[in-house]
Amino acid sequence: MKIRAALLSVLLLTTSALAAPKDVVSLNGEWQVRIDPADADAAKAHPKESKWFKSLVPGSVQQDLISAGRVPDPFKGINEAPIQWAGMTNWQFRRTLQVTPAMLARDNLELVFDGLDTFASVSVNGKALLSTDNAHRRWRVDVKQALKAGENEIIVSIASPIRTLQPKVLAEANPLPGEYDSPYGDEPKGKQTSPYIRKPKYQYGWDWGPRLVNIGVWQPVNLEVWDDARVDTLLVHQEALNDAEARLLARYRVVADKETTVTLTTSITAPDGTVQKVERTAKVAAGVNEVTVPLTIEKPQRWWPVGYGAQPLYKVSGHLGDGQGAADTVERRIGLRTSELVRDKGSFGFKINGMVIFAKGSNLIPFDNFPARVSEAQMRDVLTSARDANMNMIRVWGGGYYLHDAFYAMADEMGIMVWQDFMFGGAVTPPDAEFRHSVKAEAEEQVERLQSHPSIVVWAGNNEVLSGWENWSDRKAFKKKVGPDEQERVGVGMAVLFDRVLRDAVLTRSPGIPYWPGSPSTDYEGPTDTDKDGDRHFWDVWSGSKPVEKYLESCPRFMSEYGFQSMPDMATIRDFAGKGDLAIDSPVLKAHQKFLAGEGNDRLKLYMDQRLRPAKDFADLVYLTQVNQAQAIDMAARHHRACRPVTLGSLYWQINDTWPAISWASMDYYGRWKLLHYAARRFFAPQAIVAQHRDGATVVSVVSDATQPITGQWRIRSFDMAGKVIGNREEAVTMLPLSATQVASIPDADLFHGADAKASYAVAELLLDGKPVSRTIVERALPKDMAYPAPGLKAEWDGKKVTITATALARAVMLDFGATAAQPSDDGFDLLPGESITVDVRSDATAAALKRALTLRTLGPQ
Ligand code: BMA
């Protein structure tokens, strides 16, 4: 018996030694870059860069130039202009590759580029093998014939995307409307090349980010070496899900170079570690084959969004073997859940596992202007901050790029639902077939790559392409100029893309997950961007300069964008602006403000003048912009929540920044939370109180995201500025599951008893187990007109903990550490007379330095 077992293992070892598995050789790391010698003018203008210098892959030439100190860092000071030439130049990237005779003896050697940005030609040992035109795609090319034993040279030539497209665009009488015109004279106004290319749109400059038109090998590169057959993709479809079982279909795409028989072993590892295996033998032909394997999971554990249950994940791995040469392994991690859109008489919302979930969250823009350098830690920080602020949804906005797998894997683990846009940022799309085919391939590939992630609960066709086509003035002008036939051709082209091509990609690659043609849209059921139907982007406040109270005028079905700008913390401003004097209209602050081509700081001023007291100095002004932002979004978000069930989601614009900026972000490029992010934690709390003063009364609502009824109390107390209670009302309340309930509408006479509006306020609170879990302050005058008392703030330190006490009302207290980087555990809070709060301060600075750096700011007199 023993001998037989030993013999068997020897045999097994021998067979597996013969069967060489697929090899993946990473070609990431150090490459070289130079100006393409054919680009003679550029080489003449930049002789130094016409010689090879160090390049890092994945990356971009812009990163290489910055790392080598050949251009100043565009994120600091006013340094965006000196790097522009890089995007207008044709480049070559080069590396060598050692190939052994053993590798050459294998059946297949393929170069796989996960992303090339964008118009690239690849040659190996001087032999042209591949040319590309879509940065959102992966490219695979057979290199066996081009390789030789010993040293080989790979050259990737990438042409300037602007220069490549410009002849065509300049020749157009009416080029397609795009997004933001270049301030650098490289493209004439109204003649943008970006609508014609498949490349992250924000790199051409956005209203929160610089123009940095990346050129490079921006994703990993590998050499894949295999025999007989490999697994090209493994899709895991969820065909049915109930409490008894989940029925799945593993769909393998197997690519073979000859007819052979393969064994596919599919293993499912449950969250508790138990493994089940299904083996399937299939005959495959040379070329692309599909092999499907039905799987069943008994008593499935469901994946839930954060706040509604756990996030159990199952591992599905597939092993391919043919007993001769082929051996390949793929792995997917899945979660079991259903996702549906609630669409009933115009409504719009998400039903996960049959439960209608109010979406609380924000919009995510790319993590950096150089996507290749984004770290996992940076992505984790943003997602963790989202979860810590009680968000359950992030919209991955369409003007960027499809994010790395790691991002979605983290969202899966944290229970953050992802609204995933396809990458269309607002530009009108070309109607030609070639463009459509490119998009089709991109969409199918990306949905296949991401479909196993339970966090992705919807795919949406684009950002603002549909509403822009309907409503924006440049598009109206375009339609008029081109006439009805061309208008129809372009319009139909977009409809084919967003209503058919992308919808089909989701339907076939991720069946069961809803598709929504655009944000905002109404699924082609009527005009887009309305309160009554579908999702809405509301920009009357901020872009339209309307007062923030406009947020309260209606209950949209789902607010997928609304936003308000502020300055980042002083630590961040100092980092990009340096040490000198700071002013809101100084060149460096205008350079880091992209709204209205740099004039956006006027809008900050407009709203500050409208609502808040004058700033004492620049640091105080920074504080005031953050208060204004936090208060505006707080007002809107609480309102949206109180509008449930008419409203089923509230995603503010935007959670993050691509660089150190003055923008709508609630946390800046360095991850520092602005006051808005702290406010989000309060206004998105699972149980919250909403109190709005309108038409001479205070309307109080309570909202609960719990799935069980919850009993507590709500109370409202009114005070004068000396801290005396003027009015008081307290009632028990049972909050129904997943609900918003108006509990009172109290006329001023009953709450404030004739007190002066400017010298009194009310505090509405929700109490559970006798403790306040949510609070909001009602004021009947604008903050600037309120007669706030001197708050008498005191700070007492204990290590890096500080206790702040107020003797009188202190509104929107900020712990300002100036240029010292520090993150307090709470900030922007209100203190009632006599109240105190203890805050932990996370910082590399010493406790003594923190104590020295601290300034306490409030809306009242200091
Ligand atoms: C929106 C977005 C972005 C833009 C933002 C702020 O509508 O979709 O295109 O950055 O507004 O203006």
Side-chain angles (χ1 to χ4, degrees):
M1 197 55 198
K2 256 190 187 152
I3 295 168
R4 268 178 59 192
L7 256 181
L8 194 67
S9 68
V10 168
L11 272 176
L12 279 175
L13 273 176
T14 339
T15 13
S16 59
L18 278 178
K22 185 173 95 179
D23 256 345
V24 179
V25 183
S26 166
L27 303 182
N28 298 337
E30 196 168 327
W31 288 48
Q32 289 177 308
V33 62
R34 69 170 179 197
I35 292 172
D36 190 329
D39 193 350
D41 288 348
K44 214 157 111 199
H46 303 278
K48 220 171 138 204
E49 283 73 32
S50 61
K51 300 200 183 63
W52 293 113
F53 62 102
K54 188 177 155 189
S55 172
L56 261 195
V57 166
S60 64
V61 70
Q62 283 85 350
Q63 287 165 260
D64 299 332
L65 289 166
I66 298 164
S67 306
R70 291 163 186 248
V71 295
D73 185 344
F75 282 18
K76 309 263 183 206
I78 309 175
N79 284 328
E80 197 181 321
I83 198 174
Q84 293 305 315
W85 68 274
M88 295 297 287
T89 301
N90 301 335
W91 296 93
Q92 286 193 329
F93 300 81
R94 168 189 184 268
R95 70 160 284 159
T96 54
L97 166 67
Q98 292 297 326
V99 175
T100 60
M103 277 161 85
L104 273 186
R106 304 284 299 266
D107 292 348
N108 304 283
L109 290 99
E110 293 172 333
L111 266 183
V112 182
F113 293 91
D114 284 352
L116 289 166
D117 191 2
T118 294
F119 296 123
S121 345
V122 178
S123 70
V124 174
N125 298 329
K127 211 170 181 178
L129 294 176
L130 170 72
S131 75
T132 73
D133 60 0
N134 185 332
H136 299 299
R137 287 191 59 188
R138 163 191 272 216
W139 302 92
R140 174 184 288 272
V141 61
D142 178 5
V143 288
K144 186 170 158 81
Q145 298 314 323
L147 289 175
K148 55 180 199 280
E151 188 169 280
N152 293 265
E153 185 188 51
I154 305 174
I155 291 192
V156 180
S157 306
I158 310 188
S160 157
I162 299 168
R163 278 170 56 198
T164 304
L165 290 167
Q166 215 152 34
K168 170 181 158 155
V169 175
L170 294 183
E172 285 282 354
N174 298 298
L176 295 171
E179 276 285 349
Y180 300 98
D181 281 320
S182 170
Y184 294 107
D186 47 354
E187 289 185 321
K189 299 231 175 300
K191 296 203 182 269
Q192 298 176 21
T193 55
S194 63
Y196 297 87
I197 193 170
R198 294 305 299 145
K199 171 177 173 62
K201 297 287 191 229
Y202 77 109
Q203 295 177 356
Y204 291 84
W206 215 265
D207 58 358
W208 35 253
R211 183 172 173 95
L212 291 164
V213 183
N214 285 215
I215 290 180
V217 180
W218 79 286
Q219 298 260 44
V221 192
N222 290 303
L223 177 71
E224 289 192 10
V225 185
W226 55 280
D227 301 315
D228 300 352
R230 64 178 175 86
V231 179
D232 190 56
T233 34
L234 166 60
L235 306 184
V236 185
H237 290 177
Q238 180 185 290
E239 303 221 294
L241 176 63
N242 56 47
D243 289 347
E245 62 172 26
R247 283 207 308 279
L248 309 176
L249 195 65
R251 270 177 65 188
Y252 289 90
R253 187 180 304 130
V254 175
V255 174
D257 61 16
K258 58 174 74 71
E259 195 181 289
T260 181
T261 301
V262 294
T263 304
L264 286 162
T265 312
T266 311
S267 324
I268 308 178
T269 310
D272 68 1
T274 48
V275 182
Q276 56 162 305
K277 269 194 183 154
V278 179
E279 206 171 276
R280 164 91 202 268
T281 302
K283 239 197 162 126
V284 293
V288 180
N289 301 265
E290 178 157 315
V291 183
T292 53
V293 181
L295 307 164
T296 306
I297 297 175
E298 272 161 33
K299 298 217 178 64
Q301 298 175 44
R302 287 183 191 239
W303 180 93
W304 284 97
V306 58
Y308 295 85
Q311 290 78 43
L313 298 165
Y314 292 77
K315 199 171 79 189
V316 179
S317 54
H319 177 83
L320 172 145
D322 70 352
Q324 299 163 42
D328 196 1
T329 305
V330 279
E331 207 166 275
R332 296 282 197 166
R333 212 174 49 169
I334 62 163
L336 305 170
R337 51 88 183 94
T338 58
S339 173
E340 293 162 75
L341 287 186
V342 183
R343 288 287 286 153
D344 177 25
K345 296 198 189 91
S347 66
F348 183 91
F350 291 90
K351 205 189 245 188
I352 307 297
N353 294 326
M355 187 180 293
V356 178
I357 287 177
F358 190 99
K360 301 182 294 189
S362 53
N363 287 270
L364 181 90
I365 60 173
F367 290 98
D368 199 298
N369 281 93
F370 301 115
R373 72 179 182 192
V374 174
S375 69
E376 229 171 277
Q378 202 181 341
M379 297 192 278
R380 183 178 296 280
D381 188 36
V382 171
L383 277 173
T384 308
S385 296
R387 195 196 48 194
D388 289 349
N390 288 311
M391 299 185 192
N392 58 26
M393 179 177 270
I394 289 287
R395 170 172 171 242
V396 178
W397 167 80
Y401 57 93
Y402 305 92
L403 300 174
H404 297 108
D405 297 284
F407 171 83
Y408 304 95
M410 287 186 254
D412 293 344
E413 286 160 17
M414 294 187 204
I416 303 280
M417 295 182 282
V418 173
W419 166 315
Q420 179 67 44
D421 279 2
F422 282 99
M423 291 303 131
F424 294 88
V428 172
T429 54
D432 56 276
E434 201 187 328
F435 185 84
R436 193 159 60 245
H437 292 150
S438 176
V439 169
K440 182 173 188 287
E442 161 196 327
E444 291 175 353
E445 248 176 62
Q446 293 292 350
V447 178
E448 286 184 357
R449 179 172 70 89
L450 299 176
Q451 65 91 226
S452 59
H453 293 283
S455 52
I456 299 179
V457 294
V458 70
W459 281 87
N462 63 71
N463 172 71
E464 296 186 352
V465 178
L466 307 183
S467 54
W469 184 243
E470 272 176 42
N471 305 324
W472 294 359
S473 55
D474 62 339
R475 277 128 240 239
K476 285 185 178 159
F478 171 82
K479 290 177 193 168
K480 221 157 124 194
K481 271 186 17 213
V482 298
D485 287 353
E486 183 62 4
Q487 173 181 337
E488 169 140 341
R489 197 173 77 91
V490 173
V492 168
M494 282 193 282
V496 171
L497 212 58
F498 299 121
D499 202 15
R500 267 250 314 279
V501 174
L502 299 183
R503 194 187 292 275
D504 282 354
V506 177
L507 208 67
T508 54
R509 268 70 186 172
S510 191
I513 296 306
Y515 174 76
W516 187 244
S519 182
S521 85
T522 49
D523 206 8
Y524 290 102
E525 288 174 4
T528 60
D529 209 9
T530 81
D531 279 336
K532 291 193 196 67
D533 191 2
D535 69 318
R536 177 111 164 84
H537 291 188
F538 183 79
W539 286 101
D540 287 11
V541 177
W542 186 262
S543 306
S545 303
K546 291 280 183 329
V548 294
E549 287 72 21
K550 212 52 198 161
Y551 283 134
L552 306 178
E553 283 179 11
S554 66
C555 290
R557 297 315 206 134
F558 191 106
M559 197 68 110
S560 43
E561 277 188 19
Y562 60 103
F564 198 99
Q565 280 203 358
S566 72
M567 299 240 180
D569 278 7
M570 278 301 278
T572 299
I573 294 177
R574 281 293 177 207
D575 191 76
F576 72 75
K579 283 209 167 68
D581 279 353
L582 295 169
I584 191 166
D585 50 4
S586 70
V588 68
L589 282 165
K590 284 174 83 164
H592 286 249
Q593 162 66 274
K594 297 295 179 183
F595 180 62
L596 301 181
E599 299 306 321
N601 290 340
D602 289 349
R603 195 60 50 88
L604 283 173
K605 268 200 267 179
L606 176 103
Y607 280 106
M608 275 191 295
D609 292 348
Q610 218 173 70
R611 301 188 56 79
L612 302 177
R613 63 164 170 76
K616 297 186 189 73
D617 52 28
F618 183 78
D620 191 47
L621 178 142
V622 169
Y623 158 72
L624 291 175
T625 66
Q626 290 201 18
V627 173
N628 233 5
Q629 179 191 36
Q631 292 194 343
I633 302 301
D634 179 288
M635 179 189 292
R638 284 187 203 252
H639 171 67
H640 298 150
R641 295 189 71 189
C643 284
R644 182 176 188 153
V646 172
T647 305
L648 290 175
S650 179
L651 310 179
Y652 68 74
W653 183 268
Q654 70 208 49
I655 187 168
N656 63 327
D657 271 330
T658 64
W659 76 318
I662 301 166
S663 81
W664 298 266
S666 62
M667 56 191 288
D668 70 26
Y669 176 67
Y670 299 107
R672 294 177 186 134
W673 287 20
K674 297 179 178 178
L675 296 188
L676 169 57
H677 210 91
Y678 293 93
R681 190 166 61 193
R682 294 187 279 269
F683 60 67
F684 282 148
Q687 282 74 42
I689 192 150
V690 184
Q692 292 169 4
H693 186 258
R694 51 175 190 247
D695 306 325
T698 300
V699 179
V700 183
S701 303
V702 289
V703 295
S704 175
D705 292 337
T707 54
Q708 303 293 326
I710 294 187
T711 301
Q713 292 93 35
W714 68 270
R715 75 171 174 215
I716 191 161
R717 293 171 292 163
S718 55
F719 297 87
D720 67 14
M721 292 303 177
K724 199 181 95 203
V725 177
I726 314 170
N728 186 8
R729 183 156 157 192
E730 179 161 348
E731 280 172 20
V733 63
T734 297
M735 291 181 282
L736 295 175
L738 309 169
S739 73
T741 315
Q742 185 181 315
V743 289
S745 173
I746 315 169
D748 287 354
D750 297 347
L751 185 59
F752 294 102
H753 302 287
D756 178 0
K758 294 175 182 166
S760 59
Y761 60 95
V763 182
E765 286 167 307
L766 176 67
L767 297 95
L768 299 181
D769 297 324
K771 287 191 215 82
V773 295
S774 177
R775 171 195 273 181
T776 188
I777 291 188
V778 181
E779 291 171 343
R780 292 175 293 156
L782 288 169
K784 70 172 179 187
D785 296 324
M786 292 293 288
Y788 293 128
L793 288 176
K794 230 176 52 206
E796 265 174 83
W797 285 88
D798 172 12
K800 291 190 184 181
K801 263 189 201 345
V802 59
T803 301
I804 314 218
T805 312
T807 53
L809 173 70
R811 280 292 261 150
V813 180
M814 185 200 226
L815 285 75
D816 184 352
F817 294 95
T820 306
Q823 174 145 345
S825 57
D826 201 357
D827 213 354
F829 42 80
D830 302 308
L831 291 176
L832 300 184
E835 265 187 352
S836 68
I837 183 172
T838 300
V839 172
D840 280 311
V841 184
R842 213 170 36 154
S843 174
D844 291 340
T846 61
L850 287 174
K851 188 172 172 181
R852 266 198 314 275
L854 177 66
T855 306
L856 292 174
R857 300 186 185 279
T858 79
L859 287 184
Q862 308 281 292

